[in-house]
């Protein structure tokens, strides 16, 4: 059913954060458009309307460079802002990156939401005896802020073993070390952990390469690239639309004890 189970069966779960638990993409698009309009109101209106998409797409790969440890968070942000400005046909001024950050974060706080299946899935994993940790390529302060804004922080503290960010080891996914570090939080070997995330190359494919099981989550309304679909099929993956679908597929494929979600099974 599109989930590649870990070789030893599922005894723990790693969850990506952005666009797995939190609707970051939609929030970035809205916040970026508002910030660009406020900073560069004379730019082409059609491009201003799409500025959030441009910022999120990051075609020059500045965020990926950040996750490799090639630059710090402020530098990454400034480079992405300069890219948007250049795409709009304007030159970013010396204060534009700072102003962008202020306006963008205000917009993010207004638009960030938690997907409806997140809390039920965290509880379901607990009831199945599957410890959970979060694994994200964002920074620790920024991740903590998003969890607070969305009201997830208390649930994460109660229902997970912790959060691994890019700051934890200085690099992010797809480095195998970050997956293995997150598995250690669960006190499980990689061969017994299922990773769930939305970006094909740095989430499910990287998890498989690191020895974990993997599920590829693509929320409704998110684009599907035909080339990615072909690559995913070649690794036994298919895009699934929600977390409950992921866990149901994992159960159907025979991992773990035959205990239903929400059953009250004793947690480990």
């Amino acid at each position: 059913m599109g989930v590649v189970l870990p070789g030893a069966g599922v005894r723990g779960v790693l969850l990506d954060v952005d666009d797995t638990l939190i609707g970051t993409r939609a929030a970035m698009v809205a916040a970026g458009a508002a910030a660009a309009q406020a900073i560069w109101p004379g730019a082409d209106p059609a491009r201003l309307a799409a500025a959030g998409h441009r910022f999120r797409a990051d075609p020059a790969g500045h965020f990926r460079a950040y996750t490799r440890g090639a630059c710090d968070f402020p530098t990454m942000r400034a480079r992405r802002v300069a890219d948007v400005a250049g795409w709009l046909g304007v030159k970013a001024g010396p204060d534009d990156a700072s102003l962008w950050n202020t306006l963008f974060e205000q917009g993010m706080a207004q638009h960030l939401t938690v997907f409806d299946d997140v809390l039920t899935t965290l509880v379901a994993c607990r009831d199945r005896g599957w410890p959970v940790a979060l694994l994200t390529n964002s920074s620790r302060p920024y991740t903590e802020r998003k969890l607070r804004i969305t009201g997830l922080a208390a649930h994460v503290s109660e229902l997970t073993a912790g959060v691994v960010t890019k700051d934890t080891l200085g690099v992010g996914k797809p480095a195998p070390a970050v997956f293995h570090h997150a598995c250690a939080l669960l006190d499980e070997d990689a061969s017994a952990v299922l990773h769930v995330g939305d970006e094909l190359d740095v989430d499910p494919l990287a998890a498989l390469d690191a020895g974990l099981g993997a599920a590829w989550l693509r929320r409704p309304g998110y684009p599907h690239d035909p080339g990615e679909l072909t690559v995913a099929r070649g690794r036994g993956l298919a895009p699934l639309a929600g977390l409950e679908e992921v866990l149901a597929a994992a159960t159907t494929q025979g991992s773990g004890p035959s205990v239903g979600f929400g059953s009250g099974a004793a947690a480990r």
Side-chain angles (χ1 to χ4, degrees):
M1 294 184 64
V3 173
V4 178
L5 295 181
V10 179
R11 296 200 299 267
V13 177
L14 296 182
L15 296 173
D16 175 45
V17 175
D18 296 305
D19 299 311
T20 296
L21 307 183
I22 297 171
T24 309
R25 178 189 297 265
M28 289 181 73
V29 168
Q37 177 66 54
I39 299 170
W40 306 297
D44 176 72
R47 290 212 162 193
L48 282 172
H53 288 283
R54 174 73 181 195
F55 183 77
R56 170 63 179 80
D58 186 25
H62 296 304
F63 186 79
R64 294 292 179 96
Y66 162 73
T67 63
R68 296 192 303 270
C71 63
D72 61 17
F73 192 90
T75 300
M76 175 272 294
R77 267 292 180 85
R79 289 172 178 171
R80 291 176 74 176
V81 172
D83 171 80
V84 173
W87 180 74
L88 290 170
V90 298
K91 181 176 176 59
D95 299 323
D96 283 356
S98 176
L99 181 56
W100 173 282
N101 285 339
T102 298
L103 297 172
F104 182 78
E105 295 310 329
Q106 290 173 354
M108 288 288 286
Q110 293 171 3
H111 293 287
L112 275 177
T113 57
V114 178
F115 293 111
D116 291 341
D117 55 6
V118 171
L119 184 55
T120 56
T121 298
L122 292 176
V123 171
C125 288
R126 179 196 63 191
D127 290 346
R128 288 194 64 81
W130 294 348
V132 174
L134 308 187
L135 175 56
T136 176
N137 274 354
S138 193
S139 71
R140 176 166 293 280
Y142 200 46
T143 299
E144 290 174 346
R145 182 173 185 272
K146 286 183 286 190
L147 294 176
R148 286 196 305 271
I149 287 171
T150 57
L152 267 183
H155 299 301
V156 168
S157 177
E158 176 189 359
L159 295 170
T160 80
V163 184
V164 177
T165 71
K166 184 264 180 183
D167 297 342
T168 303
L169 299 182
V171 295
K173 300 172 291 187
V178 298
F179 288 97
H180 296 158
H181 183 86
C183 290
L185 282 183
L186 305 178
D187 195 26
E188 293 289 354
D189 187 77
S191 64
V193 175
L194 176 70
H195 177 268
V196 185
D198 69 300
E199 292 193 74
L200 182 62
D201 58 342
V202 301
D203 284 313
L205 296 186
L208 292 176
D209 289 342
L212 290 75
W216 184 27
L217 183 67
R218 297 299 284 174
R219 297 284 186 178
Y222 283 43
H224 289 268
D225 181 288
E228 285 194 332
L229 292 171
T230 299
V231 171
R233 282 196 296 268
R235 299 294 297 272
L237 296 163
L240 300 178
L243 290 172
E244 290 177 347
E245 185 176 345
V246 170
L247 294 183
T251 303
T252 301
Q253 290 175 229
S255 76
S258 57
V259 181
F261 296 147
S263 66
R268 288 161 42 128

